[in-house]
Amino acid sequence: MHDRTTVEKSLPLDLKYDQYDFPITSLEPKTGHLGHTTLEQDVKIYQLRTMLEQEGYTKRLDTLTLLRFLRARKFDAEASKAMFIKCEEWRKNFGTDDLPHTFNYQEKPEVFKYYPQYYHNTDRDGRPVYIEKLGKIDLNAMYNITTGERMLQNLVTEYEKLVDARFPACSRKAGNLQETCCTIMDLKGVGVTSIPSVYSYVRQTSEILQNYYPERLGKLYLVNAPWGFSSVFSVVKSFLDPVTVNKIYVLGSNYQKELLAQIIPENLPVEFGGTCRCEGGCELSDIGPWQELEWAKPEVKENVFHHKYPDSENDEEG
């Protein structure tokens, strides 16, 4: 007889909210993820959804979303509820739902000269790859082109596109759930003395991602880390969750071998040791499964009302 507190099993979907048209189980069985929850975690999902419905919430109550908030708060339903409500209040005040449809970052090519940040294909696990070149940040120059508010609006717009377009397309192509990113932050050109000038902005963006888009980081590679960066990073770690810290790899200038172990050469820009040379430049290409009709717009949507999960005894050992 199976012990339901430890054995992976299928979690019944809530057909009112769980209308997915992409794979929703991860390749690796991980506790607290869809298809690999315990009976106690199932109860927490039901409890959290019920409490939020009683508060009048009707959006973003699908199982994948609730599981992310629950994992972020160690499956404490009350703490997860508080986090979810705070997130919804922020979304309303920031106008998050409307941004992907109304925001036009027309100054993007000029801003990218001083702060390149872009999505570029996928890693070996199927995750979207996100790249930032922090060493080129010149906030004064950028503020002559745009505003801090518009920069944050662009950040949020791209994250909404990540959730609604990039993750689903990557999941379809990989054949399993993709809900985290592989991030590369290039610190080349960042000196210890220049870090404080961008620290406030980077912290602001980090807090948005951690508080309002929980459980989205798969791996983070900090490459070309300058001398003395470790001491500065210890400060950054103070406002990051320990689970997040364990996903971060601080590398010096000899990082190419480790990056290529995670990302195939064809998907990695030449400047980082790969072989990709996108026409017009990788920074503005936005290349990836989300641009491929086969994955961005699947021919047949999965009928979630008849979706079947493998029984626990048939699950692969992980």
Side-chain angles (χ1 to χ4, degrees), residues 82-196:
M83 185 184 190
F84 185 96
I85 291 176
K86 184 177 180 180
C87 176
E88 288 298 305
E89 290 174 347
W90 168 80
R91 293 183 67 92
K92 180 179 179 180
N93 294 332
F94 201 81
T96 302
D97 287 345
D98 296 328
L99 283 177
H101 312 290
T102 61
F103 182 72
N104 179 16
Y105 203 44
Q106 57 191 13
E107 66 268 38
K108 179 177 180 178
E110 290 299 311
V111 172
F112 269 35
K113 293 179 182 178
Y114 304 103
Y115 187 12
Q117 46 182 165
Y118 58 101
Y119 291 92
H120 188 276
N121 230 312
T122 58
D123 70 1
R124 293 180 185 271
D125 296 318
R127 302 183 188 92
V129 174
Y130 175 68
I131 300 172
E132 284 194 13
K133 297 172 70 174
L134 295 174
K136 297 189 69 174
I137 289 183
D138 185 334
L139 289 179
N140 291 329
M142 285 190 291
Y143 289 156
N144 287 328
I145 302 170
T146 189
T147 65
E149 180 182 10
R150 284 182 61 79
M151 288 171 61
L152 289 178
Q153 287 176 327
N154 174 64
L155 174 83
V156 172
T157 297
E158 290 302 317
Y159 236 73
E160 288 296 299
K161 291 179 180 178
L162 176 68
V163 173
D164 291 336
R166 295 185 177 103
F167 281 140
C170 289
S171 297
R172 296 181 192 113
K173 186 169 185 177
N176 52 73
L177 178 64
Q178 298 296 329
E179 57 179 352
T180 63
C181 280
C182 176
T183 298
I184 301 170
M185 286 194 175
D186 185 7
L187 303 178
K188 185 177 182 179
V190 175
V192 175
T193 57
S194 64
I195 290 177

Side-chain angles (χ1 to χ4, degrees), residues 11-14 17-26 32-37 45 48-49 60-72 75 84 163 167-168 171 176-179 214-216 302 304 309:
L11 173 69
L13 297 181
D14 187 309
Y17 300 108
D18 295 325
Q19 300 184 27
Y20 307 113
D21 59 0
F22 53 87
I24 56 177
T25 53
S26 59
H33 289 69
L34 192 58
H36 310 294
T37 53
I45 296 169
L48 177 57
R49 180 179 285 125
R60 290 173 281 277
L61 298 185
D62 63 283
T63 303
L64 286 176
T65 298
L66 296 186
L67 276 172
R68 286 192 300 104
F69 279 88
L70 284 165
R71 291 198 303 270
F75 277 84
F84 185 96
V163 173
F167 281 140
S171 297
N176 52 73
L177 178 64
Q178 298 296 329
E179 57 179 352
E215 293 288 301
R216 289 304 193 187
E302 180 181 11
V304 300
Y309 297 93

Side-chain angles (χ1 to χ4, degrees), residues 72-85:
R73 291 296 179 264
K74 313 303 183 194
F75 277 84
D76 181 322
E78 285 291 345
S80 300
K81 172 190 170 184
M83 185 184 190
F84 185 96
I85 291 176

Side-chain angles (χ1 to χ4, degrees), residues 199 202 206 229 231-240 245 248:
Y199 176 79
V202 172
S206 298
F229 178 78
S231 60
V232 176
F233 183 62
S234 65
V235 177
V236 176
K237 287 195 296 186
S238 66
F239 62 85
L240 293 177
V245 173
I248 299 175

